[in-house]
Amino acid sequence: MKIQKILLYGFGQHENLEINLRPGMNLLYGPNEAGKTTIQQAILHILFGFPQKNQQELRYEPKTGGKYGGCLYIEDHEYGNWMIERVRGKSSGDVLIRFEDGRIMEEAELKRLLRGYDRQAFESIFSFSLFQLQGLEKMDENDLSRTLLASGTTGLDTLWKVEKKMEKEMGSLFKKSGKIPQMNKKLTEIRELEQAMQKEQQKLSLYEPLTSRKQELDEQVATLRLEEQRLYKQSEEQRIAMQIVPLQQQRNQLLEQLSHLTDTFPAAGIRRYEELASKQSELQLKKTRLEKEQAEWQSEWIDLRPTSERQQLERWVTQEAEWHRLRTDRISAEQEIRLLEKKLQQLSNRLGLTPDQQLSIGKMDVSIQRERQLEPILEEQKELDQQLKALQRLLAEAESERQESEQRKEHTERMQLTESERKKLTALPELQRQLAEAKFIISASDKQASNQMVPVIIMLIGLAIGAYSVLQQQWLFTCLGIVMVAVGAWLWKQRPDSVSDQQSFIRNNEPLVAELERLAERDELQQRDQRQVAAEIERLDHKLQKYAEEMEQLYEQKQQAVKKWQDLLQDEPFDLTFNIQESFRLLREFQDAEIDQKTWRLRLLTATQHVQSLIKEVEKVLGPVAEEGLFERIRQELLHQNSLQEKQLSKQKTVLEIKEQLLETNELLETTTAEILQLFTIVGVSEKEQFYTAYQQDQDAQLLKRQLKEVEAQLSLYNKEPLVKEWTIPELERQRSETTNRLQIIRQEVEALVDEQVKVGHEISQMGTSQSYSELQQLVEVRKAELEEMTEQWVIRKAVRESIRQTMSEWKEHQLPAVLIQANKWFSYLTGDRYATIGLTAEGYFEAVTAEGQTFMINELSQATKEQAYLSLRLALAYELSERAPFPIIMDDPFVHFDNERLSRMIEILTELQPSHQFLYFTCHQEMKLKWPSEPHTIEIGRKVKGEIY
């Protein structure tokens, strides 16, 4: 069993962590606080469940929340590859196990996959850490030996804990030299009370003589009791000897008798014979019964119709649907005929036909071709009517639009400007110009004063250019100078005389200009509307004239179509002009109804004939039968015949079965008889009485053997047989009689002394007048009762401890030797052959033996040597269990106390174990990967590459 991959969803500081492992050695390196122990605990948690919240183990729940748990991918040669996933759920987590073939199991399957191991058993063998090794230094010889013993045997650590608990509870009850335990306290209290009683007793002087006599009596009784015990032991030895001698004599007699008897009777022979005889008798009775049943079944008669009639009944049953269909068709035909007669009468009424016309309709041409000859003319008339209606509608709409346009024209004429308003509009352009100049002047006056000299400067520049050009006779520049002088003069004339006058002009004329502009816009809009209305009226007049011409043409076309229609219909028996399509539809329905009526009458005749024919066929077989219950009678008869047929088949089957059973019974009877004869042949007899005689002889031999076995069992009850072979029963009886007589004498003397003891004790009790003495005596009895209860508890715990020690001793004898052989080999190699073996002393303590034979108790070794012994036992146990429990071995830095040489040897041992075990070695020492001869699969905890941990 090997772990292929570890996937942690959320566990301690790890989140979404994936670790890929390989068979053999996997070195998981990481500095302190990298989470190595967390991964180690994650493996144990996923396999064996999350700890309870009230337990000491940490749960390692993720600090940041999220999904808690993970999964392990396992390669298992016995159960195939499987995956276990454990996430937050119930107290120990929800478990899902998925196999390679798609099977899904729950937690109940996990115990089988883990070979019945729980977490404690797994950790005691396959998981160990530096913390466990460091604890070896603090252990005494007893604890250290027990730890090593538990590491070399499975299950002892649990019993060791129970034993420790029992010892602790025993120690809390009683210690040999203790003062704090409860029983020690109680004994001290009883001793103090007894001392107080002695003080009270000394006060009673009359007690002294009686007390002396009581002591003398006690001594004499004790002496006699010892003598009595010795004699009783001697008497018991003599009694046992008297029991053994007859047993030995009886054993010899039984052996002598057995030597004259033979042991040839087969094992369980009488039981086998009786079983065979009983079986033979049963088979004979069964044979008789089967022969009787066979005769009865063969004599039974079944009245069954011929096969042809039964087949005819089955065919008729299959025709039931056809029968109902025929009857339904007959009823439907009758109904349809009545409906068609009613429909023909309705169509005749709608068409207004006379009886003669009804007869001629069947010969009338109402074909689609005839209808299509008439349809174009009728469609032409309809189309002309529709065109006339549409043209009339368009003409009415045009006249309505003409009236609306006339109304708009009148309204537009009413909205024309008056003569006074038109006169005002003539002054609008001049006012707009003056208003613009005034605004320009006001804006120009706001500029700087230097800007007012611009016209003067322009004139001066123009005069200068003109004068210079005249002198130089440059006439083009002379013209330019004249233009500049003119511009400057014009600008000078345009300068405002007074800004206030211009502002006053704007205030007075700006509202008037706005009013005139609105009036001008209204005049322009009214003229535009007037032009549009005139154009619309002219367009509508043309449209009305066009519509009138088209209407006249349509009336003329309609008259021609009517005349053509009348010419085509002059030979028809009645007029169709009212609606050609409706008339042709009704005529076609009339003709179709007549055809349908003929068809239904034919179907009615056919259905009636078929029904009557089937009734006649059935009556030939079943006799007279009513039409309504025809098929009910057929089904009843068929069911009856089927029942009889099933009965016939059952009879045939039963007869065949009886025949087979009879044949089988005969064969078994012959076989049983042959076996009985074979049994007689083995014993060497030929009849039943001789067989029973041989059986009785065998029983006698068996009885003698049982008696001999009982005698030997009785003899085995004694530890050893006394040397009484030369003794005789009379001698033993004489010696026992002498011993018995001496015992009686001693018992009589003891009884006399005891009676005197009682008498003296009674006198002493009567003399006890002190009240404090009686109270102390009563208190002593109470304390003794309490001490007795505590003693029972102490004895119970001692018995449990001794049972555990006995169990541990048995384990040491059976399981430990095989582990010690391999552990000694590795321990010797690790210590460089300094120590040859490690073993157990008679007291159950571990000791190490050097190559020279010198022994050291395990607690006398160095810390590293202790760890090497511990690891040797652990690895040897895992090696011995590799077939039953091939689990990975998880190690948390266990070699820190090893020097380089011993570390190299340990690595060689681990390399030797790699084919049978997978190793997960957690370490914080990066140089460990250099210690292996071939570099192991190294995983660095805390560094992610592409979602995996390396």
Side-chain angles (χ1 to χ4, degrees):
M1 174 179 171
K2 297 176 178 59
I3 301 175
Q4 294 177 325
K5 182 167 66 176
I6 304 171
L7 183 59
L8 303 182
Y9 306 136
F11 203 88
Q13 64 177 323
H14 298 303
E15 183 177 359
N16 295 327
L17 177 64
E18 181 178 345
I19 302 177
N20 291 314
L21 302 175
R22 297 178 183 174
M25 178 59 64
N26 293 270
L27 188 68
L28 291 90
Y29 161 74
N32 294 330
E33 301 299 325
K36 301 185 298 299
T37 303
T38 304
I39 297 173
Q40 178 188 4
Q41 291 298 313
I43 297 172
L44 299 176
H45 284 15
I46 294 171
L47 288 175
F48 302 103
F50 302 136
Q52 303 290 334
K53 292 188 176 180
N54 57 356
Q55 292 180 347
Q56 295 182 354
E57 290 90 356
L58 297 177
R59 287 174 60 86
Y60 292 94
E61 295 189 19
K63 300 298 183 182
T64 58
K67 189 174 183 181
Y68 172 42
C71 63
L72 300 176
Y73 291 81
I74 307 296
E75 178 185 354
D76 197 327
H77 293 295
E78 183 176 355
Y79 299 107
N81 295 348
W82 50 279
M83 181 272 288
I84 174 174
E85 180 186 50
R86 191 183 295 270
V87 296
R88 189 195 308 272
K90 57 185 181 181
S91 58
S92 62
D94 292 334
V95 175
L96 178 68
I97 301 171
R98 188 186 304 275
F99 288 84
E100 193 176 34
D101 56 2
R103 290 181 293 124
I104 297 177
M105 301 291 182
E106 296 184 353
E107 192 167 7
E109 183 70 9
L110 185 58
K111 188 173 183 180
R112 183 175 68 88
L113 296 175
L114 296 178
R115 280 72 173 179
Y117 279 69
D118 57 8
R119 176 166 181 163
Q120 184 177 1
F122 182 90
E123 287 185 297
S124 66
I125 303 172
F126 303 98
S127 176
F128 42 92
S129 63
L130 177 62
F131 176 78
Q132 292 173 305
L133 298 177
Q134 289 175 342
L136 300 176
E137 185 66 27
K138 303 176 182 178
M139 296 181 184
D140 57 15
E141 182 180 4
N142 189 23
D143 291 343
L144 188 57
S145 294
R146 290 182 181 274
T147 299
L148 291 175
L149 183 61
S151 66
T153 52
T154 56
L156 283 186
D157 51 347
T158 303
L159 291 178
W160 180 29
K161 292 178 182 178
V162 176
E163 183 191 0
K164 294 282 286 186
K165 182 180 178 182
M166 293 296 104
E167 288 183 352
K168 184 177 180 181
E169 292 179 358
M170 288 173 61
S172 65
L173 288 173
F174 177 74
K175 288 184 179 179
K176 188 174 181 180
S177 59
K179 296 181 180 180
I180 299 176
Q182 299 178 20
M183 290 177 64
N184 293 91
K185 291 181 179 179
K186 197 66 65 178
L187 287 170
T188 302
E189 187 177 356
I190 290 172
R191 283 195 293 268
E192 292 175 353
L193 290 173
E194 288 178 347
Q195 291 175 2
M197 287 176 63
Q198 290 177 2
K199 291 180 181 179
E200 291 293 329
Q201 192 176 10
Q202 290 175 0
K203 297 178 182 178
L204 303 174
S205 58
L206 296 177
Y207 281 21
E208 293 181 1
L210 291 174
T211 303
S212 301
R213 179 58 184 163
K214 186 174 183 303
Q215 290 178 353
E216 291 177 1
L217 291 173
D218 291 341
E219 292 175 357
Q220 292 177 6
V221 168
T223 303
L224 291 174
R225 292 288 187 192
L226 291 174
E227 180 66 17
E228 181 183 12
Q229 290 178 2
R230 185 185 66 77
L231 291 173
Y232 179 78
K233 183 177 180 182
Q234 184 178 351
S235 175
E236 283 297 312
E237 291 177 353
Q238 293 169 354
R239 181 183 64 79
I240 291 172
M242 290 186 69
Q243 292 175 355
I244 290 176
V245 169
L247 289 173
Q248 289 176 339
Q249 293 174 355
Q250 184 179 1
R251 180 176 61 183
N252 295 332
Q253 292 175 0
L254 291 172
L255 291 172
E256 178 67 20
Q257 293 176 6
L258 281 173
S259 64
H260 297 292
L261 294 176
T262 60
D263 189 8
T264 59
F265 199 81
I270 197 66
R271 178 181 60 78
R272 290 164 56 191
Y273 170 74
E274 289 177 350
E275 289 177 355
L276 291 171
S278 175
K279 186 176 180 181
Q280 185 183 33
S281 177
E282 290 177 0
L283 290 171
Q284 189 64 43
L285 291 173
K286 184 177 180 181
K287 178 182 178 181
T288 305
R289 178 178 57 80
L290 290 173
E291 289 175 348
K292 183 179 179 181
E293 289 180 358
Q294 186 179 27
E296 290 176 354
W297 277 103
Q298 288 176 350
S299 63
E300 185 178 357
W301 170 256
I302 297 175
D303 185 14
L304 188 65
R305 286 181 180 272
T307 304
S308 60
E309 292 186 4
R310 285 188 279 110
Q311 292 175 352
Q312 183 65 40
L313 289 172
E314 291 175 355
R315 284 195 296 271
W316 285 339
V317 169
T318 59
Q319 294 174 3
E320 183 176 5
E322 181 65 19
W323 162 264
H324 290 298
R325 186 189 65 77
L326 289 172
R327 296 190 65 198
T328 303
D329 286 350
R330 188 175 66 181
I331 296 171
S332 300
E334 292 172 350
Q335 293 176 351
E336 288 293 334
I337 289 171
R338 288 194 295 271
L339 291 174
L340 288 171
E341 288 177 352
K342 184 177 180 181
K343 183 177 181 182
L344 287 171
Q345 187 62 39
Q346 291 174 351
L347 291 172
S348 178
N349 293 336
R350 291 184 66 182
L351 290 169
L353 301 175
T354 63
D356 295 337
Q357 289 175 338
Q358 291 180 10
L359 295 174
S360 64
I361 283 178
K363 302 175 183 179
M364 186 177 177
D365 185 8
V366 290
S367 63
I368 296 175
Q369 184 178 4
R370 176 65 172 164
E371 184 180 355
R372 287 179 178 176
Q373 287 178 351
L374 298 175
E375 271 183 354
I377 302 171
L378 185 61
E379 289 295 330
E380 184 180 359
Q381 289 182 6
K382 289 181 180 180
E383 186 177 353
L384 290 172
D385 288 338
Q386 291 177 358
Q387 291 178 2
L388 282 171
K389 289 179 182 179
L391 197 55
Q392 287 172 358
R393 186 174 62 255
L394 293 173
L395 187 59
E397 291 176 356
E399 288 177 351
S400 176
E401 291 178 2
R402 179 75 166 71
Q403 291 176 2
E404 291 178 0
S405 298
E406 288 292 340
Q407 292 175 1
R408 287 174 59 191
K409 181 179 180 181
E410 292 175 0
H411 177 71
T412 304
E413 289 175 352
R414 287 195 300 269
M415 294 297 294
Q416 290 181 354
L417 297 179
T418 61
E419 292 296 332
S420 60
E421 290 175 342
R422 292 189 181 281
K423 288 181 181 180
K424 287 182 180 179
L425 283 176
T426 57
L428 178 60
E430 184 61 25
L431 287 173
Q432 287 177 338
R433 184 185 62 78
Q434 293 176 358
L435 188 63
E437 290 178 354
K439 289 180 179 179
F440 177 75
I441 290 169
I442 290 173
S443 63
S445 65
D446 293 336
K447 294 181 179 179
Q448 297 179 359
S450 58
N451 291 338
Q452 297 179 0
M453 296 302 293
V454 171
V456 178
I457 295 171
I458 291 173
M459 286 190 293
L460 292 174
I461 293 172
L463 289 172
I465 292 172
Y468 180 75
S469 300
V470 171
L471 293 175
Q472 295 293 328
Q473 296 182 354
Q474 297 289 333
W475 306 117
L476 181 59
F477 286 102
T478 302
C479 293
L480 178 60
I482 295 170
V483 171
M484 291 180 67
V485 171
V487 170
W490 181 81
L491 290 174
W492 179 262
K493 288 180 180 180
Q494 296 298 324
R495 60 188 178 85
D497 295 335
S498 173
V499 175
S500 60
D501 293 341
Q502 298 298 330
Q503 291 175 349
S504 176
F505 177 79
I506 292 171
R507 282 195 301 272
N508 294 332
N509 292 286
E510 193 169 19
L512 178 61
V513 170
E515 182 182 356
L516 292 175
E517 287 178 348
R518 286 194 297 273
L519 191 61
E521 289 177 359
R522 194 185 78 178
D523 183 48
E524 185 179 357
L525 181 61
Q526 186 270 335
Q527 291 178 3
R528 186 172 64 250
D529 291 343
Q530 193 172 9
R531 289 193 298 271
Q532 290 178 353
V533 168
E536 184 69 20
I537 290 172
E538 185 179 359
R539 184 183 63 80
L540 290 173
D541 288 340
H542 287 297
K543 185 184 288 188
L544 287 171
Q545 184 179 359
K546 180 181 177 183
Y547 287 162
E549 293 173 355
E550 291 178 356
M551 188 170 288
E552 186 177 354
Q553 292 176 359
L554 289 174
Y555 275 122
E556 195 173 325
Q557 292 175 3
K558 184 177 180 183
Q559 289 175 358
Q560 293 175 359
V562 170
K563 184 180 178 182
K564 186 176 180 181
W565 174 265
Q566 291 173 353
D567 293 341
L568 287 172
L569 294 177
Q570 60 184 357
D571 296 331
E572 297 297 336
F574 51 88
D575 187 14
L576 299 175
T577 55
F578 65 94
N579 189 336
I580 184 65
Q581 292 178 342
E582 181 66 16
S583 298
F584 269 84
R585 185 184 66 79
L586 294 174
L587 289 172
R588 288 194 192 98
E589 288 184 6
F590 193 92
Q591 290 181 352
D592 292 342
E594 284 184 340
I595 295 171
D596 291 343
Q597 189 179 36
K598 292 178 182 179
T599 303
W600 280 109
R601 283 176 179 167
L602 181 61
R603 290 181 64 179
L604 176 62
L605 179 61
T606 304
T608 304
Q609 290 175 352
H610 287 166
V611 169
Q612 294 299 325
S613 174
L614 185 59
I615 291 173
K616 290 178 181 179
E617 290 179 3
V618 174
E619 286 179 345
K620 289 179 182 178
V621 178
L622 301 180
V625 62
E627 180 182 339
E628 296 297 331
L630 177 67
F631 272 88
E632 182 65 26
R633 174 71 184 279
I634 292 172
R635 282 195 300 273
Q636 289 178 356
E637 182 64 24
L638 181 60
L639 289 173
H640 178 64
Q641 292 299 317
N642 288 337
S643 176
L644 292 176
Q645 187 178 11
E646 289 178 0
K647 189 174 181 181
Q648 178 70 19
L649 292 174
S650 176
K651 173 187 172 182
Q652 295 174 356
K653 182 179 179 181
T654 304
V655 170
L656 182 61
E657 289 178 353
I658 290 173
K659 185 177 180 181
E660 292 176 352
Q661 290 180 8
L662 191 58
L663 181 61
E664 183 181 356
T665 303
N666 288 327
E667 292 176 354
L668 290 174
L669 187 59
E670 292 175 359
T671 303
T672 305
T673 304
E675 290 179 357
I676 291 174
L677 292 175
Q678 183 181 4
L679 198 61
F680 283 177
T681 303
I682 293 173
V683 180
V685 298
S686 59
E687 58 183 11
K688 175 182 175 181
E689 289 75 11
Q690 295 175 353
F691 188 81
Y692 274 100
T693 302
Y695 170 70
Q696 188 60 43
Q697 293 177 356
D698 180 74
Q699 291 297 307
D700 293 341
Q702 295 297 329
L703 177 61
L704 291 175
K705 288 180 180 179
R706 286 196 298 271
Q707 291 176 354
L708 180 61
K709 188 175 181 181
E710 290 176 359
V711 170
E712 291 177 347
Q714 291 177 10
L715 289 172
S716 66
L717 295 175
Y718 304 98
N719 293 331
K720 59 181 181 177
E721 297 183 11
L723 300 175
V724 295
K725 294 181 180 179
E726 299 178 357
W727 292 358
T728 61
I729 297 297
E731 278 185 74
L732 290 172
E733 290 179 349
R734 181 180 56 76
Q735 292 181 6
R736 189 178 181 194
S737 176
E738 292 176 357
T739 305
T740 303
N741 293 333
R742 178 59 183 164
L743 274 173
Q744 289 178 354
I745 295 170
I746 291 174
R747 285 172 181 170
Q748 291 174 358
E749 292 178 358
V750 170
E751 288 178 359
L753 292 173
V754 168
D755 289 341
E756 188 176 356
Q757 273 184 326
V758 172
K759 184 177 179 180
V760 172
H762 180 66
E763 292 177 357
I764 292 173
S765 63
Q766 287 182 347
M767 293 175 65
T769 57
S770 174
Q771 186 67 26
S772 59
Y773 180 80
S774 62
E775 292 176 354
L776 289 171
Q777 190 176 20
Q778 183 178 3
L779 189 58
V780 167
E781 295 299 326
V782 172
R783 295 295 180 264
K784 285 182 178 180
E786 293 175 353
L787 178 63
E788 186 175 356
E789 292 179 359
M790 294 180 184
T791 304
E792 290 178 359
Q793 296 295 325
W794 185 84
V795 170
I796 290 171
R797 284 159 176 75
K798 184 176 181 181
V800 173
R801 188 192 66 177
E802 293 301 323
S803 298
I804 292 173
R805 287 183 176 180
Q806 181 66 27
T807 303
M808 293 173 69
S809 176
E810 292 176 0
W811 283 356
K812 287 186 288 184
E813 292 176 2
H814 295 89
Q815 186 174 357
L816 189 59
V819 177
L820 281 177
I821 293 172
Q822 187 64 43
N824 286 331
K825 174 184 175 183
W826 287 339
F827 180 68
S828 175
Y829 180 71
L830 285 173
T831 58
D833 296 331
R834 176 186 174 91
Y835 295 95
T837 61
I838 51 174
L840 283 172
T841 64
E843 294 78 17
Y845 297 105
F846 266 92
E847 62 180 5
V849 182
T850 63
E852 295 77 19
Q854 188 177 3
T855 60
F856 291 90
M857 300 308 295
I858 202 68
N859 62 337
E860 296 175 349
L861 304 176
S862 65
Q863 175 67 16
T865 308
K866 292 177 187 175
E867 293 175 4
Q868 289 155 15
Y870 180 83
L871 291 172
S872 298
L873 287 168
R874 272 285 184 98
L875 295 174
L877 180 58
Y879 177 76
E880 290 295 322
L881 296 175
S882 60
E883 294 294 329
R884 289 176 292 164
F887 295 119
I889 297 177
I890 304 172
M891 299 181 291
D892 189 359
D893 243 353
F895 309 144
V896 294
H897 294 133
F898 290 13
D899 55 31
N900 291 331
E901 183 179 357
R902 298 195 179 190
L903 177 60
S904 300
R905 293 171 181 168
M906 176 56 74
I907 289 173
E908 291 180 10
I909 293 174
L910 295 181
T911 304
E912 180 184 350
L913 285 172
Q914 287 182 22
S916 59
H917 285 281
Q918 182 188 34
F919 288 86
L920 277 66
Y921 187 96
F922 294 85
T923 181
C924 60
H925 304 286
Q926 191 173 9
E927 65 275 6
M928 279 300 297
K929 65 181 180 180
L930 303 177
K931 303 293 184 180
W932 262 261
S934 60
E935 185 174 352
H937 177 54
T938 305
I939 303 161
E940 184 173 348
I941 305 299
R943 182 170 67 89
K944 285 190 175 183
V945 178
K946 295 182 180 181
E948 295 186 355
I949 292 294
Y950 290 86

